[in-house]
Amino acid sequence: MSKILIIEDETSIAELEKDYLELSGFEVLMEETGDAGLKTALNENVDLIILDLMLPNVDGFEVCKKVREVKNVPIILVSAKKEDIDKIRGLGLGADDYITKPFSPSELVARVKAHLARYERLVGSGVKKNEVIEIRGIKIDKTARRVYVNGEEKAFTTKEFDLLTFLAENPNHVFTKEELFSKIWDMESVGDIATVTVHIKKIREKIEFNTSKPQYIETIWGVGYRFKV
Ligand code: CA
């Protein structure tokens, strides 16, 4: 169910919008001031915002601007003055639509539905996000096969990358060198469990601040290694 946020200080209008939207199957949240509205818009997972321009505390222009800095959800601006439309256009606030009071609630519902449908198409067709693992300052982009330590990219060989990723994907799990060797190196590989030790050392040089006191990959003496979270 889509969640709509109404930011409107005129209770009668807000209630009317709410009734119509709920009848159409939407979940509705309501806020009466600009600052409360902004807070809800940023903290709640809302799918669309109906935003009145003249609001106490923080006005709709400001709310729209702030929301747009972080979210792409459709915003329908509601204005009591026709002149506001020019201002809205001029400011380039990133609102998707605007509607002037008085308006029919069914028209509002129709616009809400249209914008939600358009937004879902947009999001649905969007480029797939890279698969990323992030643990305390280490970012492993599995899709691009890149590793960043505190924002700085580090060069990893294929096996180093595979080993680090495997450990990071199984945090707090202790693996023996034998297990790691059989997971990361295929059967035909020349090498033995000493290879694992060498690779762990190389990885630590890239990710650890102090390799003698590892914060990420711990040595469990007599057993093996684990990625600590
Ligand atoms: Ca108002």
Side-chain angles (χ1 to χ4, degrees):
M1 194 196 306
S2 297
K3 203 190 276 182
I4 315 288
L5 170 62
I6 299 172
I7 310 176
E8 169 66 71
D9 59 324
E10 282 171 75
T11 319
S12 57
I13 292 177
E15 290 289 344
L16 188 68
E17 292 174 357
K18 181 175 185 272
D19 289 347
Y20 270 78
L21 288 166
E22 283 182 347
L23 276 172
S24 301
F26 296 110
E27 189 185 339
V28 177
L29 300 177
M30 290 200 294
E31 294 293 355
E32 291 181 5
T33 62
D35 51 356
L38 181 59
K39 216 172 144 197
T40 304
L42 297 179
N43 295 322
E44 293 280 332
N45 211 356
V46 299
D47 299 294
L48 184 143
I49 302 168
I50 298 171
L51 174 61
D52 183 35
L53 279 177
M54 298 306 288
L55 291 166
N57 301 329
V58 181
D59 71 18
F61 293 108
E62 195 60 25
V63 175
C64 186
K65 209 173 94 199
K66 290 258 165 63
V67 172
R68 230 352 131 241
E69 281 168 11
V70 279
K71 289 199 174 185
N72 288 321
V73 294
I75 301 175
I76 300 178
L77 291 178
V78 178
S79 161
K81 292 183 284 182
K82 289 245 185 329
E83 309 90 84
D84 277 342
I85 292 171
D86 293 331
K87 197 173 168 193
I88 292 164
R89 285 191 184 127
L91 285 171
L93 293 166
D96 298 86
D97 203 354
Y98 44 82
I99 190 164
T100 49
K101 292 175 183 173
F103 52 83
S104 81
S106 49
E107 191 196 338
L108 180 69
V109 170
R111 291 201 194 187
V112 165
K113 284 181 178 167
H115 283 289
L116 281 174
R118 191 184 58 87
Y119 184 63
E120 271 155 29
R121 275 200 307 275
L122 217 73
V123 172
S125 68
V127 181
K128 266 198 179 162
K129 273 195 177 160
N130 282 10
E131 201 183 335
V132 170
I133 305 168
E134 279 190 279
I135 303 171
R136 287 185 289 121
I138 293 184
K139 185 170 141 190
I140 304 168
D141 185 331
K142 285 184 68 184
T143 315
R145 294 184 66 87
R146 290 177 145 179
V147 180
Y148 302 84
V149 180
N150 295 319
E152 192 190 329
E153 187 174 0
K154 303 278 177 174
F156 274 68
T157 65
T158 305
K159 293 299 176 196
E160 286 166 7
F161 181 88
D162 291 344
L163 184 56
L164 173 66
T165 305
F166 178 75
L167 287 168
E169 281 183 322
N170 297 280
N172 294 328
H173 185 121
V174 181
F175 293 98
T176 64
K177 289 174 191 172
E178 289 81 3
E179 281 173 324
L180 292 172
F181 186 75
S182 72
K183 288 273 183 208
I184 308 302
W185 282 267
D186 44 38
M187 300 304 230
E188 303 91 61
S189 281
V190 182
D192 54 49
I193 59 168
T195 313
V196 177
T197 316
V198 171
H199 278 75
I200 292 283
K201 185 172 174 283
K202 293 238 169 91
I203 293 170
R204 277 180 177 155
E205 285 165 5
K206 293 169 192 180
I207 65 169
E208 297 286 357
F209 178 68
N210 179 352
T211 50
S212 61
K213 286 194 184 111
Q215 299 300 303
Y216 298 102
I217 300 175
E218 277 185 311
T219 301
I220 311 297
W221 293 107
V223 189
Y225 302 102
R226 76 165 168 201
F227 196 106
K228 188 171 68 173
V229 288

